[in-house]
């Protein structure tokens, strides 16, 4: 089957059905899709072509001598495209010796009449006829086709009937480009404020606009008319309004735009304000929506086939679709796609795609999170785990698949690899430190004393690239996924489990391939004397869990009984091996302290992160949310990994200065630190933000001896001000831009987690090529060019953001599940201590350390009443007014009673869940006392016992709201059948600490309407 260009444009989602195989896509159709539908749709087509399960091919008809036909004089572009595709179809038929009938599918009725009977064996029919004749039983495809056709008919009718314009027309592309070049217009990405989606959006400058406009802040786009049909994420062109029309953003808290709480609240200082005059790139995607309730359907009018559905993401406007299933789908989450947004229509037009699940059902809500973040988690196909033509060591098969490792056919090291690799099995004490139950072990460590008295430190990383050849099926799939996605109760792996949980996992007591970085250190100063990179064979002696390693570091040897490797040893051997292991852990910790101190002197930042454990009971109901404390061994492992990443970055850049994959973290803009400085000033601290060094020192000194949470909150505010850390190709940046602000390193990359990050796989290949180059050997793998690497970096950065968002949203889902259906008036878990960390005109933002939650607490309710606290400190609502100051807010009743809330005050809050039918549920906070919450004795004992172990490492606890500010937030789930979703019950915590420091940060400027 060969689809015409119009079929590819309109019916791509049907062509993606797994049943439709063997489609030939013509170059002409693909290029038309790219030019008319944008990058997102084009990338979907590219992914379809790469997916071996579909067995589709691209035929470059315009580069084939007998298929290329120049456009004739007077011929329209559309007719030429259809003619080109038809002529290519005819050539293809003859190329197959007239033995394979060809079906060309087109929506052009004239083409069906003209070409339908021209060539025997080449059938030209409509897409509807194709489905009716070839796929009569594929019900889902027929329903989707009807939905798309209905949407198209509605659009055509609407354009004929509508004369009045709701929006101004977009300017032509050539006018936009000229305006950007001259400086009249400004290009950027539209970001809608999720708390005021109807009112506030901001355009973040990009490209030449960023440098040439002279603006230091985003551009405010106020109201839907000024937004002019652009949707969150679109690349838009804006025209600045005259300065007397500039507006400021409101400083009030706001749950949604229908709330009128902000009425009368003065806006902030006016900021650059503009209107959208054109869209350069539409980043439309699949949207999860909810159908209106019966009452809402009736209020929308008699024509029930045209329905306004509400997107789950409230930054997206309502979408009008045509369907006869409104009543049947009222209780479900549904996927729709936008087709168009004409200037004559208040809302975009779209069509129904598929049903996800019931509203409120866990699986349906998880599926919603995945779709909203464009995450595809289909199982690995047979094609992706079979490699034709590749013979793996130790296996004898005619069709050779990925290596197996079974009792009947155990995997083993090949003689060839033994000859080529450095063998560390008998010479080095190698061990791993991971969470309990971890099965995907990326990294191991070693340390020993050399004959000359110096020390040797080794970091040994799983050699994933040995098992994943470039451009193999599994490599293409791993590149598409780019990262392992961690949700609160499950994970979706980047690699199949045979690799991620077995042959690439550096498990204890088995031989494994590794890529090692080994340093020789001075015996006293720990300064690096020399470094070696290469492929190795290791056998990890111990698979330690963090708590056991910390106990050994503290010389509490009772934990030895919990370490399996010690159980079957006699007393003498046990004692000798124990002393050897304790020395190694202690020496690693000393080295890590030295490495950290060196980075601290250069300005490395210590930021705040949270690790939340979602504890489930036997029936899988959420029993508790438990924030956990890090141990010094976390820091030890993290510093060793940061060191390895830094040295590998230097190595690959030296060898390939224009095509190495590194990670940069630019300095933040100074204006983003204003809230941090003001809040610190309220406590008498001065925060110097001129450099990472002065910022780190200031934060270290900003300690309130009576309340350690103050320092924690100041660090989280510093985190909010940070820029994003991003992957980049060194050929696209000047060397002075390589610097990593948060880690205080001149060059940095990701090398230590190839099982779960595709960036690390690329870096491993670069390192192997650099080693080959040093040895004057041929480089086996073709390295990516700077252009291709830059495109790959953009993709990985995008997938990283999706992973962060999905992880954050799933954790919030479980938080709401934890508090849902509980009586907030009587349930003990719903009352907690909170700390005020920001003041707004109508309320405050509160942090709850017990659960790692941040949220808004209103001081004025919907009825206009303000909060009052009597002599018993209990709160109630009374008529009155609020007065906001820089670091406090005062509520005064009409009877003269007043209560003042200061920054960093402790208050007692009630936690409840605000349910939403169309959007995600949210946590709601209510102040019930202006005094701190007194923790019951048993809870106090529990918390103090946790804090005893944090003497060596500063306590790290931050809200899940700020999980988006760090690359990783680890969520452990305790449940019996965890294997259903993942191979491991926890991530390596060094990744958490590494990424907290690595600052892979997201923009949170929209949080709580800030």
């Amino acid at each position: 089957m060969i689809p015409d260009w119009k079929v590819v444009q309109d019916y791509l989602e049907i062509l993606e059905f797994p049943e439709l195989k063997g489609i030939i896509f013509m170059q002409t159709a693909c290029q038309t899709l790219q030019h008319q539908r944008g990058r997102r749709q084009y990338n979907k087509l590219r992914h379809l072509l790469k997916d071996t399960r579909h067995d589709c091919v691209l035929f470059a008809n315009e580069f084939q001598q007998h298929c290329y036909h120049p456009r004739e004089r007077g011929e329209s572009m559309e007719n030429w495209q259809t003619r080109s595709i038809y002529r290519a179809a005819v050539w293809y038929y003859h190329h197959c010796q007239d033995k394979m009938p060809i079906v060309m599918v087109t929506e052009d009725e004239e083409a069906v009449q003209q070409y339908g009977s021209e060539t025997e064996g080449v059938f030209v029919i409509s897409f509807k006829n194709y489905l009716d004749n070839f796929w009569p039983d594929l019900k889902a495809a027929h329903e989707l086709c009807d939905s798309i056709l209905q949407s198209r008919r509605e659009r055509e009718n609407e354009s004929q009937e509508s004369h009045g314009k709701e929006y101004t027309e977009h300017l032509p592309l050539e006018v936009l480009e000229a305006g950007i070049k001259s400086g009249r217009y400004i290009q950027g990405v539209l970001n809608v404020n999720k708390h005021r989606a109807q009112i506030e959006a901001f355009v973040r400058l990009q490209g030449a606009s960023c440098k040439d406009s002279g603006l230091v802040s985003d551009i405010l786009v106020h109201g839907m008319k000024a937004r002019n049909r652009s949707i969150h994420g679109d690349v838009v062109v804006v025209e600045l309004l005259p300065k007397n029309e500039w507006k400021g953003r409101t400083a009030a808290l706001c749950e949604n735009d229908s709330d009128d709480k902000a009425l009368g609240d003065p806006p902030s200082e006016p900021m650059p304000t503009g209107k959208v005059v054109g869209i350069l790139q539409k980043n439309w995607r699949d949207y999860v929506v909810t159908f209106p309730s019966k009452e809402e359907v009736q209020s929308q009018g008699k024509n029930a086939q045209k329905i306004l559905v509400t997107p789950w993401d409230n930054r997206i406007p309502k979408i009008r679709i045509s369907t006869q299933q409104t009543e049947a789908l009222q209780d479900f989450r549904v996927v729709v796609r936008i087709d168009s947004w004409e200037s004559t229509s208040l809302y975009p037009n779209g069509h129904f795609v598929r049903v996800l699940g019931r509203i409120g059902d866990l699986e349906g809500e998880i599926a919603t999170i995945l779709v909203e973040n464009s995450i595809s988690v289909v199982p690995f196909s047979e094609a992706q785990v079979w490699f034709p033509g590749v013979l793996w060591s130790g296996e004898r098969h005619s069709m050779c698949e990925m290596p197996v490792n079974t009792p009947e056919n155990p995997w083993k090291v090949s003689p060839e690899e033994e000859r080529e690799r450095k063998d560390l099995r008998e010479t080095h004490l190698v061990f791993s430190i991971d969470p309990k139950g971890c099965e995907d072990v990326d990294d191991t460590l070693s340390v020993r004393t050399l004959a000359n008295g110096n020390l040797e430190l080794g970091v040994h990383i799983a050699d994933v690239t040995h098992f994943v050849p470039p451009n193999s099926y599994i490599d293409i799939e791993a590149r598409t996924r780019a990262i392992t996605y961690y949700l609160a109760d499950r994970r979706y792996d980047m690699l199949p489990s045979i690799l991620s949980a077995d042959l690439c996992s550096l498990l204890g007591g088995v031989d494994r391939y590794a890529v090692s970085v080994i340093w020789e250190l001075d015996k006293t100063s720990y300064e690096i004397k020399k470094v070696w990179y290469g492929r190795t064979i290791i056998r990890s002696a111990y698979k330690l869990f963090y708590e056991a390693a910390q106990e050994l570091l503290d010389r509490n040897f009772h934990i030895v009984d919990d370490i399996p490797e010690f159980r079957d040893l006699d007393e003498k051997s046990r004692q000798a091996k124990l002393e050897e292991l304790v020395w190694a852990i202690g020496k690693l910790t000393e080295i890590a302290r030295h490495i950290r101190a060196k980075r601290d002197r250069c300005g490395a930042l210590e930021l705040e992160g949270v690790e939340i454990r979602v504890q489930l009971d036997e029936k899988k109901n959420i029993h508790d949310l438990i924030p956990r404390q890090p141990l010094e061994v976390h820091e030890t492992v993290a510093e060793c990994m940061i060191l390895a990443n830094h040295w590998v970055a230097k190595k690959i850049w030296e060898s390939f200065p224009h095509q190495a994959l590194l990670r940069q973290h630019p300095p933040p803009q100074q204006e983003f630190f204003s809230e941090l400085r003001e809040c610190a000033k309220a406590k008498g601290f001065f925060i110097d933000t001129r450099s990472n060094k002065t910022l780190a020192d200031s934060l270290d000194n900003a300690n309130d001896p009576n309340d350690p949470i103050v320092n924690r909150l100041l660090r989280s505010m510093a985190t909010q001000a940070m820029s994003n850390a991003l992957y980049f190709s060194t050929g696209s940046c000047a060397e002075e831009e390589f610097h990593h602000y948060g880690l205080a390193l001149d060059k940095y990359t990701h090398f230590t987690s190839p099982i779960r990050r595709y960036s690390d796989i690329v870096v491993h290949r670069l390192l192997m090529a650099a080693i080959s180059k040093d040895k004057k050997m041929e480089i086996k793998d073709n390295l990516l060019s700077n252009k291709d690497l830059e495109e790959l970096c953009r993709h990985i950065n995008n997938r990283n953001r999706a992973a962060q968002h999905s992880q954050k949203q799933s954790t919030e889902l479980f938080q709401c599940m934890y508090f849902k259906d509980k009586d907030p008036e009587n349930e003990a878990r719903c009352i907690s201590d909170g700390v005020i960390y920001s003041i707004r005109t109508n309320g405050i933002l509160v942090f709850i350390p017990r659960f790692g939650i941040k949220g808004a607490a209103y001081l004025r309710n919907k009825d206009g009443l303000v909060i009052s606290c009597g002599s018993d400190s209990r709160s109630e609502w009374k008529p009155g007014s609020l007065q906001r100051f820089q670091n406090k807010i005062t509520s005064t009743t009409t009877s003269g009673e007043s209560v003042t809330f200061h920054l960093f005050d402790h208050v007692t809050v009630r936690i409840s869940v605000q349910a939403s039918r169309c959007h995600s549920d949210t946590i709601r906070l209510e102040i019930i006392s202006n005094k701190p919450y007194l923790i019951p004795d048993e809870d106090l004992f529990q918390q103090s016992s946790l804090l005893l172990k944090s003497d060596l490492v500063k306590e790290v606890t931050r809200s899940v709201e700020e999980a988006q500010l760090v690359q990783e937030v680890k969520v452990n789930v305790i449940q019996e059948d965890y294997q259903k979703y993942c191979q491991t019950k926890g991530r390596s915590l060094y990744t958490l600490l590494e990424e907290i420091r690595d600052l892979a940060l997201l923009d949170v400027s929209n949080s709580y309407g800030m």
Side-chain angles (χ1 to χ4, degrees), residues 364-533:
E365 297 300 321
I366 291 291
T368 294
I369 289 170
L370 295 175
V371 170
E372 281 295 314
N373 290 285
S374 303
I375 296 172
S376 173
V377 290
V378 292
F380 289 98
S381 69
E382 185 176 309
Q384 287 155 352
V385 295
W386 283 70
F387 291 162
V390 180
L391 272 178
W392 295 100
S393 56
E395 301 180 43
R396 314 286 294 178
H397 296 287
S398 54
M399 274 286 287
C400 208
E401 75 268 36
M402 292 187 72
V404 295
N405 190 23
T406 62
E408 301 77 27
N409 188 13
W411 178 87
K412 56 181 179 291
V413 172
S414 74
E416 182 186 354
E417 292 295 328
E418 257 181 330
R419 286 191 299 272
E420 294 189 0
R421 293 172 180 264
K422 181 179 280 193
D423 195 338
L424 309 181
R425 288 175 289 185
E426 305 299 331
T427 57
H428 289 63
L429 174 67
V430 177
F431 57 93
S432 62
I433 306 177
D434 287 287
K436 259 188 179 176
C438 179
E439 293 178 10
D440 55 340
V441 182
D442 275 300
D443 55 90
T444 53
L445 296 163
S446 68
V447 63
R448 64 174 184 162
T449 305
L450 299 174
N452 61 6
N454 285 338
L455 293 170
E456 183 189 81
L457 169 66
V459 171
H460 315 283
I461 306 301
D463 190 359
V464 172
T465 57
H466 173 78
F467 298 99
V468 182
N471 298 318
S472 60
Y473 295 140
I474 191 61
D475 182 54
I476 291 168
E477 180 64 22
R479 187 189 311 158
T480 302
R481 299 187 182 207
I483 195 169
T484 291
Y485 297 98
Y486 294 88
L487 274 59
D489 67 333
R490 66 195 72 186
R491 59 182 278 172
Y492 297 101
D493 287 320
M494 185 182 80
L495 296 171
S497 59
I498 180 64
L499 296 182
S500 60
D502 191 0
L503 291 177
C504 288
S505 186
L506 307 180
L507 304 170
V510 293
D511 295 345
R512 289 291 180 262
Y513 296 149
V515 178
S516 300
V517 184
I518 299 173
W519 300 267
E520 182 179 334
L521 310 176
D522 183 90
K523 58 186 172 186
T524 52
S525 68
Y526 299 142
E527 291 300 315
I528 294 170
K529 297 289 188 183
K530 62 174 76 167
V531 62
W532 178 89
Y533 308 88

Side-chain angles (χ1 to χ4, degrees), residues 251-254 675 834-847 854-860 867 877 882-885 887-891 899-909 925-930 1008 1010:
L253 297 169
C254 181
E675 185 176 15
V835 185
I836 299 170
Y837 71 92
S838 191
I839 307 291
R840 294 291 183 266
T841 56
N842 61 337
I844 55 180
L845 297 182
V846 180
F847 170 54
K854 266 189 176 179
Y858 293 92
L859 303 185
R860 182 170 58 223
I867 199 166
W877 298 102
L882 297 176
Q883 188 173 9
R884 178 195 177 189
F885 301 93
N887 301 313
K888 63 182 180 180
I889 185 169
T890 299
S891 173
V899 57
T900 300
F901 297 90
H902 297 82
L903 272 177
F904 304 115
D905 278 356
H906 285 248
V907 293
T908 302
V909 295
L925 303 181
E926 180 187 356
I927 296 173
I928 58 175
S929 170
N930 63 340
Y1008 302 110
M1010 287 186 279

